[in-house]
């Protein structure tokens, strides 16, 4: 491995405390850990993935990952019995990791071999994910045939969001990661959360196939989110609520993640009487009325700003109606109103 003579690492001293900088550099200053950083620059990986690429024992790789995590250079994302690792996205550790990686020679033979091994492993993951998707595609296709075409729903979602840039997007119940893909040109950073490991595998494969490197997915419970509070200027809950026993609780959690002045977009079904969706598709709720969702949104501390129904052939009785509810956080407006009152 070779390094350039750039002074980027020294520049970090002005932004990082000396102990933190020394800890980070010590953690990264070992050949295997540098290889790990270079691999994680290509995307998320598990301990098993890294063990196969590095041809080292799992305890040894886990030790390297622990040191890099403690130094803030990488993040650990638990997923049931699994854990995914990725480069840190924020903070001093993230800046140091990016600077160190910038000094690595991309033509270094060992790094090239590592990249090829990781690509082969990810290709195998993608094949397994697509096999899972194929096994379930028939039932999903049947459900999709009951409502407006996916293209129409996705176009309505994009229209509801508008053209204003979204810095941080949270997609709750991300499933196959479709919304992260559809909206990839609208956000700077995207995070998808889902409970299903199988669905997350599909989502990772789809994001990789689309070349989307500014979004990642993680395992999480919609009723007990572990993402940052008030951290996302757009939160999306797309076709999730009808699977839940307590949608109101889920919306409270979603609202908690909305940043001041941010938005929450809910996409789900209007009330219907298709009972077979309970038995054949695990739906817990047969749709939601405008007033019902409005009450939940307001109870969660947000304001309902728009509602739109998408029907098929203009007949909501023959098919499922998809409804979009857009809600807004009112903290910025309330602060501005309070400031005006003080100056009046």
């Amino acid at each position: 491995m070779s390094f350039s003579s750039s002074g980027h690492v020294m520049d970090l001293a002005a932004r990082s405390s000396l102990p933190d900088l020394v800890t980070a550099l010590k953690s990264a200053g070992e050949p295997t850990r540098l290889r790990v950083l270079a691999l994680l620059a290509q995307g998320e990986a598990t301990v098993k993935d890294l063990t196969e690429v590095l041809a080292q024992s799992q305890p040894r790789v886990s030790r390297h990952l622990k040191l890099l995590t403690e130094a803030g250079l990488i993040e650990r994302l638990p997923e049931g019995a699994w854990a995914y690792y990725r480069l840190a996205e924020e903070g001093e550790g993230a800046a140091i990791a990016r600077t160190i990686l910038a000094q690595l020679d991309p033509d270094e033979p060992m790094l090239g071999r590592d990249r090829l091994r990781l690509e082969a492993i990810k290709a195998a993951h993608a094949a397994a994910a697509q096999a899972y998707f194929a096994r379930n595609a028939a039932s999903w296709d049947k459900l999709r045939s009951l409502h407006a075409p996916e293209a129409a729903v996705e176009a309505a979602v994009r229209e509801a969001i508008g053209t204003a840039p979204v810095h941080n997007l949270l997609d709750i119940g991300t499933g196959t990661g479709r919304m992260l893909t559809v909206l990839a040109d609208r956000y700077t950073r995207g995070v998808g959360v889902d409970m299903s490991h199988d669905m997350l595998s599909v989502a990772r494969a789809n994001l990789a196939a689309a070349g989307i490197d500014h979004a990642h997915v993680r395992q999480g419970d919609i009723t007990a989110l572990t993402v940052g509070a008030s951290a996302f200027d757009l939160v999306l809950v797309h076709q999730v609520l009808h699977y839940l026993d307590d949608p109101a609780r889920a919306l409270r959690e979603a609202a908690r993640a909305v940043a001041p002045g941010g938005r929450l977009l809910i996409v789900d079904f209007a009330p219907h009487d298709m009972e077979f969706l309970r038995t054949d598709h695990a739906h817990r709720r047969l749709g939601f009325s405008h007033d019902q969702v409005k009450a939940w949104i307001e109870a969660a501390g947000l304001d309902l700003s728009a509602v739109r129904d998408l029907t098929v052939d203009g007949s909501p009785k023959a098919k499922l109606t998809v409804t979009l509810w857009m809600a807004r956080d009112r903290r910025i407006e309330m602060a501005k109103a309070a400031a005006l009152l003080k100056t009046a």
Side-chain angles (χ1 to χ4, degrees), residues 143-144 146-148 239-243 267-272 277 283 285-289 292-293 309 320-325:
L143 179 58
R144 282 195 290 268
L146 297 175
H147 59 74
Q239 299 290 17
V240 174
L241 296 184
H242 57 257
Y243 291 110
V267 183
D268 219 293
F269 297 126
H272 61 86
L277 292 178
H283 288 205
R285 310 293 289 268
L286 298 183
F288 309 95
S289 69
Q292 186 176 35
V293 176
D309 290 324
L320 291 171
T321 294
V322 176
T323 303
L324 288 77
W325 294 267

Side-chain angles (χ1 to χ4, degrees), residues 153-176:
V153 176
E154 292 168 0
V157 168
R158 289 178 63 86
E159 183 178 342
I161 292 172
T163 57
V166 175
H167 299 293
N168 291 311
L169 167 68
L170 175 63
D171 182 22
I172 297 175
T174 194
T176 64

Side-chain angles (χ1 to χ4, degrees), residues 71-341:
L73 300 175
I74 66 173
E75 298 176 75
R76 182 180 186 273
L77 305 175
E79 190 169 301
W82 296 48
Y84 280 83
Y85 291 85
R86 61 179 289 111
L87 291 181
E89 292 187 327
E90 299 177 348
E92 294 177 354
I96 294 171
R98 288 193 298 269
T99 302
I100 291 172
L101 287 169
Q103 314 312 307
L104 288 176
D105 181 357
D107 296 324
E108 168 67 40
M110 181 178 290
L111 297 183
R113 289 192 295 272
D114 286 350
R115 282 195 301 271
L116 289 175
R117 291 193 192 102
L118 185 60
E119 287 171 5
I121 290 169
K122 288 190 173 184
H125 293 336
Q130 289 307 117
Y132 169 82
F133 187 84
R135 289 196 299 271
N136 293 275
S139 62
W140 292 335
D141 286 342
K142 181 180 179 181
L143 179 58
R144 282 195 290 268
S145 71
L146 297 175
H147 59 74
E150 289 294 327
V153 176
E154 292 168 0
V157 168
R158 289 178 63 86
E159 183 178 342
I161 292 172
T163 57
V166 175
H167 299 293
N168 291 311
L169 167 68
L170 175 63
D171 182 22
I172 297 175
T174 194
T176 64
R178 177 60 184 171
M179 285 293 103
L180 291 174
T181 302
V182 168
L183 301 174
D185 63 327
R186 297 291 181 87
Y187 60 82
T188 303
R189 170 180 173 263
V191 178
V193 176
D194 203 284
M195 279 292 292
S196 169
H197 173 72
D198 287 327
M199 295 303 287
L200 290 173
S201 296
V202 174
R204 288 188 179 97
N206 288 342
L207 290 174
I212 297 171
D213 59 5
H214 58 297
H216 69 274
V217 295
R218 63 177 67 175
Q219 190 173 50
D221 183 352
I222 186 174
T223 62
L225 294 173
T226 56
V227 298
S230 300
F232 297 88
D233 45 336
L234 178 63
V235 176
L236 179 62
V237 184
H238 178 265
Q239 299 290 17
V240 174
L241 296 184
H242 57 257
Y243 291 110
L244 306 178
D245 286 314
D246 191 354
R249 178 182 175 186
L251 288 185
R252 289 195 299 272
E253 276 293 284
R256 188 174 63 84
V258 177
R263 296 175 294 168
L264 168 65
L265 178 59
I266 304 160
V267 183
D268 219 293
F269 297 126
H272 61 86
D273 59 3
M274 298 184 183
E275 285 288 342
F276 78 92
L277 292 178
R278 293 190 197 272
T279 56
D280 296 353
H281 295 275
H283 288 205
R284 303 295 295 169
R285 310 293 289 268
L286 298 183
F288 309 95
S289 69
H290 291 182
D291 289 341
Q292 186 176 35
V293 176
K294 181 176 185 288
W296 288 338
I297 286 171
E298 292 177 346
L302 304 179
D303 291 328
L304 180 65
S305 59
V307 180
R308 180 180 178 185
D309 290 324
L310 299 176
T311 61
V312 179
D313 299 328
S315 175
K317 292 183 180 180
K319 299 282 187 175
L320 291 171
T321 294
V322 176
T323 303
L324 288 77
W325 294 267
M326 179 65 83
R328 291 182 178 274
D329 177 88
R330 55 179 178 246
R331 280 173 287 180
I332 289 180
E333 287 76 6
M334 292 174 65
K336 289 180 178 177
L340 287 174
L341 288 174

